[in-house]
Amino acid sequence: MKRSATRHRASWDETRRLSLAAARELYLETGYRDAPTRRLAERAGVAEGTVFAHFPDKPSILAAALDEDIGIVLARAKDGLPREGPCRVKLLHLAGAFYAFYAARPELSR
């Protein structure tokens, strides 16, 4: 029983990962507003209903993708954070990382 549940969880996580990856690609190509969830599902290789089993609505998909991306940006910025120096320098370092992230994705930043 445990093994089956583990396999199900792995499948669930993979479907979510594929859906978020497809959303990122599609939103960058067409913009968030012009990206129907049907196309997102096709790109992820799942049914549209499967996408909505993971996310309650389209804004939730964008929020989840951005949440993951922002977590990665923050972790990388913290890794490169200067250990010494004034707080202002450290804050500017963090702000610069987020600015670069949003500047590279203006459609998602609106």
Side-chain angles (χ1 to χ4, degrees):
M1 185 75 170
K2 175 115 168 90
R3 193 170 183 179
S4 177
T6 302
R7 235 179 300 144
H8 176 73
R9 180 62 192 193
S11 175
W12 178 268
D13 292 346
E14 179 64 5
T15 299
R16 180 182 170 85
R17 187 193 67 73
L18 290 170
S19 297
L20 289 175
R24 285 180 186 96
E25 291 173 7
L26 193 58
Y27 295 166
L28 288 173
E29 287 174 19
T30 66
Y32 170 75
R33 288 185 181 94
D34 296 326
T37 53
R38 177 184 37 77
R39 284 187 52 208
L40 184 157
E42 288 170 3
R43 188 170 289 204
V46 299
E48 188 174 14
T50 302
V51 172
F52 288 115
H54 290 266
F55 307 98
D57 52 28
K58 187 177 172 184
S60 298
I61 301 167
L62 176 62
L66 286 174
D67 184 58
E68 283 186 4
D69 291 346
I70 288 169
I72 292 167
V73 170
L74 180 58
R76 288 180 182 159
K78 286 168 81 176
D79 285 345
L81 195 63
R83 298 211 183 269
E84 302 296 324
C87 183
R88 179 180 59 79
V89 170
K90 294 175 183 181
L91 288 174
L92 285 173
H93 172 80
L94 294 173
F98 283 105
Y99 180 82
F101 171 77
Y102 287 116
R105 298 156 187 82
E107 280 300 316
L108 298 182
S109 302
R110 293 190 177 116

